[in-house]
Amino acid sequence: MADPRPRVEYLAGFCCPLGGVAAGKPRVLCHGAEIFLSTGGEMVYVYDREGRLLIAVYKFPGQVWHLELLALRKVLYVLCARSGIYCLSLDQTTRSVSRDEEDGGDDQDREDGQVGEPPVPVIPVDPDSCVLPDASLHAFTVLDDTLVTLALGPTQWKMQLFERPSPGEDPRPGGQIGEVELSTCTPPAGSQGESAAPRFLPVLCCASPPGSRTPLGHSRSSESVMLEGALFGLLFGADAALLESPVVLCGLPDGQLCCVIIKTLVTSMSAPGDPKALVKILHHLEEPVVFIGALRTEPLAEDMEDVHCDCLVALGHHGRTLAIKASWDEAGHLVPELREYSIPGPVLCAACDRSSHVYHSTSAGLRVVDLAQEGSPLDPTERDGAPGSLPPLLYPDNLGVGSLVTLCVSSSAPEGGAELLALSAKGRLMICHLDPHNEAPQSSRVTSAKAGKKIKQLLSGIGTVSERVSSLKKAIDQRDKALTCLNEVMNVSCALLSSREGPRPISCTISTTWSHLQLQDVLVATCLLENSSGFSLDRGWALCIQVLRSSRALDLDSAGSAVTYTIPVDQLGPGGRREVTLPLGPGEDGALDLPVTVSCALFYSLREVVGRALTPQDPFKDPPSAECTPIVLPEQDGVCLPLSEHTVDMLQGLRFPSLGVPHTQALGPARDPIHTFLGTCRVPGSQPAGPESLRAKYLPPSVATIKVSAELLRAALGDSHAGVSLGCATLQWLLAENAAADIIKAQALSSVQGVAPDGTDVHLIIREATVTDLCPAGPIQAMEIQVESSSLANMCRAHHAIVGRLQRLVVEQAARGSSPPDLRLQYLHQMQANHETLLREVQTLRDRLCTEDEASSCATAQRLLQVYRRLRSPSLLLL
C-alpha cells in the first residue's frame, strides 16, 4: 500500500492583503528545520518546522523584495525597497514563544486559520543593519566572497560587484570591485518624487563550472547552480571555462536573458575595456523573465557523486519557456541545443528539483513538466523521449494544488521524490510532498484516463493555433499593405526631392482672380495640382495649403496669422489634375491685408495608413500596459513634401474697372447699412462727406517713384515684349500675374488707374527719364515707375510689390554676368549723404511732434510729410 501521508501539509497561515498575496515579491527559504518567509510586505518571519512555531518576526522600513541565506555563516541578507540591503545575524534568534499542544495537535483542523497577530514580539530592524544603502537596487545575490547587485538607473540597468567580508569581520561590504551597464530600460511611470513599485523584478542566478574552488552551498546563496563543463563552455565561452569563473545570469523585465563573467568584470576595473564585451546576451523571451534555474535531465553514472546540472531553464511571465542543453550534431560536434516551449500562463513562480522536473504555479494551480521525457512527468511508464536530447513538446500536469506565489525545493525530500515549500495566494505556508511511487499501482488506469484528456487538449490546441494563424495572417496582410504604401511614398519623395531644378513631376500652380460672391468682390486663389509622374497618389495623401497673412501694421518682419487647409487626395493617378479654390479676402471686417503668402505641400499620414500595422494586437496575449506601449510614430505623424510658394501682393490684387475687366464693377467689400442709407439721402450734386472723400479732396495723393536703367529692363524683358514701347512692356511685366494682364497687353498701355481691395484708387505711371551726372560717359536712359494713391497704406503696399520684383530682376541679371557702367563715386557719396540728412531730419521732426502743442505741431507735420515725399522719390538708379 502507498504511504498514507497527506500530499499537502499546511504549517501556518499569515495575514495577507485584501485580494490575496501578489506574486513577484514574496520569498520562502528553507535550511534544515528553519523556514524564512516574506509575504511581500514589511515583515520577515522565521518559522520552526519541527516545533510548528514562529521563532522571530523582523520588521523592515519598507517592502521586502528579496531574501538570500548563507546557511553556514547564519547570515540573512534582505533587500528592502528604496532602502538597500540589510544583513541579519541569526545567532541571536531564540524561540521566545511555543505553541500550545492543543492548538498545534492537528494542522488539518487549522488550515482555515490565520495568524492575525504574531505570537512573538516584532523586532524592528536597526538602521545600522543596512550594509548597502541604495534606493535604486532591485535585485542581488551572494557568490563566494562577492556581493552582486543590480540597480535601476535613469535609462539602463547597472550591475555592481562588492567585496563581501570574511567571517568575524564587519558585515558591511568592502569597496566596489566591478561595474557594467546592461541593456536600456524604461523606468515605471509614477508620481513625482517617488517612483511606483515595479510589477516585475529582475531575476539573478549564479552559475559555476564543475571545477570551481567553492563547493555548491558553501558561502553561496540558494540561487546558485553548478553546470556541467560542456554546457558551461558552450554557453559562456572558453574564457569563462579556462578561468573557472562563476557567471551571473540576469533575466530582465523586458525579456532579455544575459550573462556577465565575474572574473572578467573584476579585471575590467584595473584595465577598462569595451563595456559591451563584458555582457553577453543569450536569448530574448519577449516577456518578463520570472525564473532562471538548472536541472539534470540525464541519469547519473554510478561512479559520479556530485550532481551537475546539464540543462538551463528560463521561464517568462506569459508561459514562454527556454531550455538549453549540450548535445551532439550529425557531424559529432558538441553544440548547444536550444528549444522554446509554450506552457499555460501567467507564471507566478517556479522551481526546479534535483531531477528533471520544473514546477510552476499559475492562477489555475500548481503544474509540473518533465524535460527528460514526453509523457507524464510523474509516470515513469510513459518515458519515450530520445535520450540525450530535449523533448519536442511539454505536457504540463496539474498537481491539484491551489495557486501559489512562491516556491522552494526542500533538500529533505525522500529518494526519487520531491518536497516543495510554498506560500499560497491566501497566505498559507505549506509543504507539498510529491512521491511518484505512490501512484505506481494505478499507473495503467491513470494513463488510460489521461489519454482522452490529452486528446481533448490537443484538439483544443489545434483550434487555438488555427485562430492564432488567422490573426497573424491578417496582421501580416496589414503590414504588407503598409509596406507597399511606404514604398510608394518613398518613390514619390525621391522623385520630388531629386528634381529641385527644372520641371517637377508633381507640381502645384497658384493663380489669383477676383470673383463676385455673396454680394461682394472676393480675391480667390486657385491651386492646380498636376501629377506628371508615373506614380499614383492614393489614400493617405493630402494637399496642405497654408495662407499666411501679413500684419495690419505693415511691419513685414512681424509674424502674421496663418490658416492651413487640408484637402484629401483620393486616387490621383498619372496625368491627373485636382483644382482647389480658396477665398483670400476681404474678411468679415472688410479688410484684405496684402501681401498674402500661399504655400502648397503634399502630406502623407503615417498614423492613418501605417499606425495599425505597426502595433498589431494578438488576442492570445495580455494587452500591453500603458508604461510598456512603444511609441512607434514620431510627433509629426507623417511625411511633408513642399511643392510651391506664391506671394499675392498689391499688384495682383488691383482691379481695373475702367478697362472693363469682369468682377471689378463692385465697390469692394460690403458697406455698412447706415452709410449706404445716408448716401442715398444725400442731395444730388453734393460731395460725399466720408473720410476717404475728405482725404482725396484736401490732401494731395501719396507718391513714390523708382528709376530703373532702360538697358537693365531691355536685357531682362528680352524679346517677349517686342513691338511695344519699353514703358508699355514694363507695365505689362509688373502686372503679368494680374487677371487684367491680357487686356493691358492688348491696349498697349504705359499708365493705368486701378482700384485697391478697399476701394481707393492706385495709379501706375511708366515714363522715360534721363539721369545725368552719374556716369562719366554721359547721360543714362532710364524708366521712371511712379505710384500714386490717396491711401498711404495702399501706396506703400504697391511700392513694396514693385521693389520686390525689381530686386529679383537685378539678382537674375547679376547671375548672368551683366555688369553696370562706370559711375562717379563722388556723386553717389553725395546722394548717400543727402539721404542720411533727410533721415536725421525725420527723427528730429518726430521727436518734436511729441513735445509741441497743437498749434505748433501743424507746421511740423507739414514739414514731415514733405521729407517723407522726398524719401519716397530718391535720385538713386537701379542699374
Side-chain angles (χ1 to χ4, degrees), residues 589-665:
D589 56 353
L592 174 59
D593 295 326
L594 295 176
V596 173
T597 303
V598 181
S599 304
C600 296
L602 275 178
F603 182 80
Y604 184 81
S605 175
L606 291 177
R607 183 170 299 278
E608 179 182 356
V609 179
V610 191
R612 294 183 180 179
L614 290 179
T615 54
Q617 293 292 335
D618 190 343
F620 297 93
K621 289 187 178 181
D622 294 340
S625 60
E627 64 186 37
C628 299
T629 302
I631 302 176
V632 297
L633 290 177
E635 185 178 355
Q636 180 177 326
D637 292 347
V639 178
C640 187
L641 301 172
L643 293 179
S644 62
E645 182 176 292
H646 183 75
T647 300
V648 182
D649 52 28
M650 178 59 74
L651 294 183
Q652 300 176 48
L654 289 177
R655 294 170 291 170
F656 303 96
S658 60
L659 301 181
V661 180
H663 305 300
T664 59
Q665 300 302 323

Side-chain angles (χ1 to χ4, degrees), residues 693-717:
S693 59
L694 293 177
R695 186 184 301 112
K697 181 178 179 180
Y698 294 103
L699 292 178
S702 300
V703 181
T705 59
I706 304 173
K707 292 180 181 179
V708 188
S709 169
E711 182 181 355
L712 175 65
L713 289 174
R714 290 191 188 96
L717 299 179

Side-chain angles (χ1 to χ4, degrees), residues 750-794:
S750 61
S751 66
V752 66
Q753 183 169 349
V755 179
D758 61 357
T760 58
D761 293 337
V762 177
H763 195 189
L764 297 177
I765 303 172
I766 313 295
R767 61 169 66 96
E768 295 182 359
T770 301
V771 179
T772 59
D773 300 332
L774 182 61
C775 179
I780 298 177
Q781 297 298 320
M783 300 301 297
E784 184 181 77
I785 304 174
Q786 180 174 310
V787 184
E788 295 182 2
S789 178
S790 59
S791 170
L792 178 61
N794 288 333

Side-chain angles (χ1 to χ4, degrees), residues 322-373:
L322 172 70
I324 308 176
K325 183 179 179 181
S327 183
W328 301 93
D329 61 3
E330 297 179 355
H333 298 141
L334 196 62
V335 294
E337 179 186 3
L338 185 148
R339 284 187 184 270
E340 270 198 6
Y341 305 98
S342 182
I343 60 177
V347 177
L348 305 180
C349 58
C352 297
D353 62 8
R354 292 176 295 180
S355 60
S356 57
H357 299 145
V358 178
Y359 304 94
H360 64 279
S361 177
T362 67
S363 56
L366 181 63
R367 301 172 185 266
V368 60
V369 294
D370 193 346
L371 289 174
Q373 59 182 351

Side-chain angles (χ1 to χ4, degrees), residues 287-306:
E287 58 187 54
V289 180
V290 297
F291 173 74
I292 301 175
L295 45 80
R296 180 80 189 181
T297 61
E298 296 294 329
L300 284 173
E302 296 181 357
D303 55 346
M304 291 184 62
E305 297 181 358
D306 294 336

Side-chain angles (χ1 to χ4, degrees), residues 376-513:
S376 172
L378 294 183
D379 191 355
T381 62
E382 296 186 13
R383 180 180 296 271
D384 55 0
S389 63
L390 293 169
L393 295 174
L394 294 182
Y395 301 100
D397 274 2
N398 196 334
L399 298 180
V401 181
S403 178
L404 307 177
V405 293
T406 183
L407 278 175
C408 175
V409 177
S410 175
S411 58
S412 59
E415 186 68 24
E419 187 175 271
L420 303 180
L421 192 63
L423 180 69
S424 71
K426 295 182 179 181
R428 294 176 179 177
L429 181 63
M430 63 181 72
I431 299 176
C432 302
H433 303 278
L434 303 173
D435 188 359
H437 301 291
N438 289 348
E439 300 184 5
Q442 303 177 356
S443 60
S444 59
R445 182 177 61 83
V446 172
T447 302
S448 302
K450 287 186 177 181
K453 183 179 179 181
K454 293 293 183 184
I455 294 175
K456 290 181 180 179
Q457 291 178 351
L458 289 175
L459 292 176
S460 175
I462 292 173
T464 303
V465 170
S466 177
E467 293 179 6
R468 186 167 187 180
V469 167
S470 176
S471 174
L472 293 178
K473 185 177 182 300
K474 182 179 179 181
I476 291 173
D477 292 341
Q478 289 180 351
R479 295 194 178 186
D480 289 343
K481 183 179 179 181
L483 289 175
T484 302
C485 295
L486 285 179
N487 186 44
E488 295 178 357
V489 174
M490 289 296 298
N491 292 333
V492 173
S493 302
C494 293
L496 285 175
L497 296 177
S498 61
S499 59
R500 294 183 179 273
E501 298 180 358
R504 309 192 74 181
I506 300 176
S507 62
C508 187
T509 306
I510 304 171
S511 60
T512 57
T513 185

